[in-house]
């Protein structure tokens, strides 16, 4: 069986690039309707969003060996981006997530892929979310922990669910307890409401103590999951 990881690339991008780089890369890489409006690149949040948009085109251009500016990106009804023309015989699947200055982009040839990254910080509403939106077994496992372990287990659970929901093109409006995952160090699906968990692999992304990341990818005949270390995306094609 071909390794899932050989069909899957995970890129990490530092979203804090210089205004000069952003200006040059926007002109070279982005479609006319994606380019920054006057003043947009002055705001840090918008600047980071722009860098993510540029990085997505660079990552896709590497996979397709085409110029980033040639790619035509569209969005489906849920907001999930896809590439046109969409060749059903060899589609390229991808997904992006960002938090603060960190962005992850997953690109897969084998099947739909979803990625999520979050800052690991104690949230006052976390226990409420766990009790009201997570599955009973996840809630038991998370609430049995204390302190930093509990916070980490919450974000392990959250990012694993969100990665899967993003792979499916569903958002967080979907019932979160329909996707049941492990919350400890070993990522895995316990059960999926209308899907076969054996058709998916779930990876945890090692990003240090302050961040949690996960990637879900659909691939025939695969099992389990593990760790998926991201590679730094070379941004030279954009600048
Ligand atoms: C999609 C969603 C899960 C993203 O969550 P988030 O933590 O805020 O954002 P992330 O950084 O992880 O991901 C954002 C990226 O995911 C991608 N994305 C957007 N919508 C998506 C979807 N439905 N599925 C998968 N990926 C999606 C985009 O690349 C987006 O980047 P952009 O904002 O620069 O375009 C969340 O916004 C959501 O639940 N949206 C509701 C979608 C929905 O159900 N819409 C129904 C029609 S109104």
């Amino acid at each position: 069986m071909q390794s899932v990881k050989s069909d899957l690339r995970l890129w990490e991008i530092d979203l804090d690039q210089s205004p000069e780089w952003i200006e040059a890369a926007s002109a070279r890489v982005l479609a006319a309707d994606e380019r920054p409006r006057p003043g947009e690149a002055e705001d840090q949040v918008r600047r980071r969003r722009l860098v993510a948009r540029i990085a997505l085109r660079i990552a896709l251009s590497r996979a397709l060996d085409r110029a980033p500016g040639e790619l035509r990106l569209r969005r489906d009804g849920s907001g999930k981006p896809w590439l046109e023309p969409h060749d059903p015989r060899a589609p390229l699947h991808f997904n992006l997530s960002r938090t603060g200055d960190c962005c992850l982009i997953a690109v897969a040839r084998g099947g739909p892929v979803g990625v999520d990254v979050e800052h690991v910080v104690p949230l006052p509403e976390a226990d409420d979310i766990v009790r009201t939106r997570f599955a009973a077994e996840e809630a038991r496992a998370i609430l049995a922990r204390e302190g930093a372990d509990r916070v980490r287990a919450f974000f392990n659970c959250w990012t694993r669910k969100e990665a899967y929901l993003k792979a499916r093109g569903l958002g967080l409006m979907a019932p979160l307890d329909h996707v049941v995952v492990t919350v400890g160090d070993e990522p895995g699906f316990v059960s999926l409401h209308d899907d076969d968990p054996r058709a998916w692999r779930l990876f945890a992304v090692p990003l240090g103590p302050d961040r949690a990341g996960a990637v879900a990818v659909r691939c025939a005949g695969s099992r389990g999951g593990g760790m998926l270390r991201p590679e730094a995306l070379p941004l030279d094609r954009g600048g």
Side-chain angles (χ1 to χ4, degrees):
M1 189 196 309
Q2 201 183 352
S3 141
V4 181
K5 283 187 179 175
S6 67
D7 275 345
L8 178 63
R9 294 301 285 270
L10 181 66
W11 298 109
E12 184 176 7
I13 301 99
D14 175 359
L15 294 179
D16 282 343
Q17 300 295 321
S18 72
E20 295 73 29
W21 183 88
I22 295 173
E23 196 183 332
S26 297
R28 189 175 306 189
V29 167
L30 294 182
D33 62 350
E34 289 179 320
R35 293 196 190 124
R37 285 178 286 280
E40 190 176 347
E42 284 160 26
D43 174 271
Q44 188 185 52
V45 174
R46 290 173 171 184
R47 212 162 46 227
R48 287 173 170 173
R49 198 178 301 139
L50 272 173
V51 175
R53 225 180 274 165
I54 294 166
L56 178 62
R57 281 182 173 270
I58 294 174
L60 296 176
S61 79
R62 291 178 71 92
L64 295 167
D65 203 19
R66 303 228 327 252
E70 278 176 24
L71 305 174
R72 295 223 299 255
L73 286 162
R74 301 281 178 262
R75 284 182 193 264
D76 70 13
S78 74
K80 185 176 183 180
W82 57 278
L83 260 174
E84 191 184 275
H86 190 66
D87 180 351
R89 288 158 305 168
L92 189 67
H93 302 273
F94 61 93
N95 199 229
L96 172 156
S97 183
R98 56 196 161 76
T99 184
D101 62 1
C102 174
C103 176
L104 294 180
I105 295 175
V107 180
R109 293 193 181 273
V113 66
V115 59
D116 188 43
V117 59
E118 303 284 347
H119 263 302
V120 174
V121 285
L123 296 178
E125 67 275 28
D127 285 358
D128 266 358
I129 294 173
V130 170
R131 289 195 183 95
T132 57
R133 296 198 65 196
F134 285 6
E137 56 260 64
E138 293 166 339
R140 268 195 302 278
I142 294 171
L143 298 174
R145 296 161 200 244
E146 297 291 340
D149 277 355
R150 181 137 142 190
V151 177
R152 169 56 67 171
F154 172 84
F155 281 101
N156 283 346
C157 190
W158 182 275
T159 53
R160 291 168 193 178
K161 285 174 185 289
E162 188 171 334
Y164 170 78
L165 290 170
K166 290 180 75 185
R168 293 279 314 267
L170 305 165
L172 296 168
M173 313 296 275
L176 295 185
D177 59 351
H178 284 186
V179 182
V180 186
V181 295
T182 57
V183 308
D185 291 340
E186 287 288 316
F189 291 110
V190 177
S191 64
L192 297 170
H193 178 63
D194 61 351
D195 205 342
D196 180 359
R198 290 167 305 180
W200 289 85
R201 288 195 73 173
L202 187 56
F203 295 97
V205 184
L207 294 167
D210 299 335
R211 291 188 187 121
V215 174
V217 63
R218 188 178 169 90
C219 41
S222 61
R223 312 215 79 186
M227 282 289 171
L228 185 61
R229 209 167 283 286
E231 304 165 69
L233 178 69
L235 293 175
D236 48 319
R237 280 201 192 195

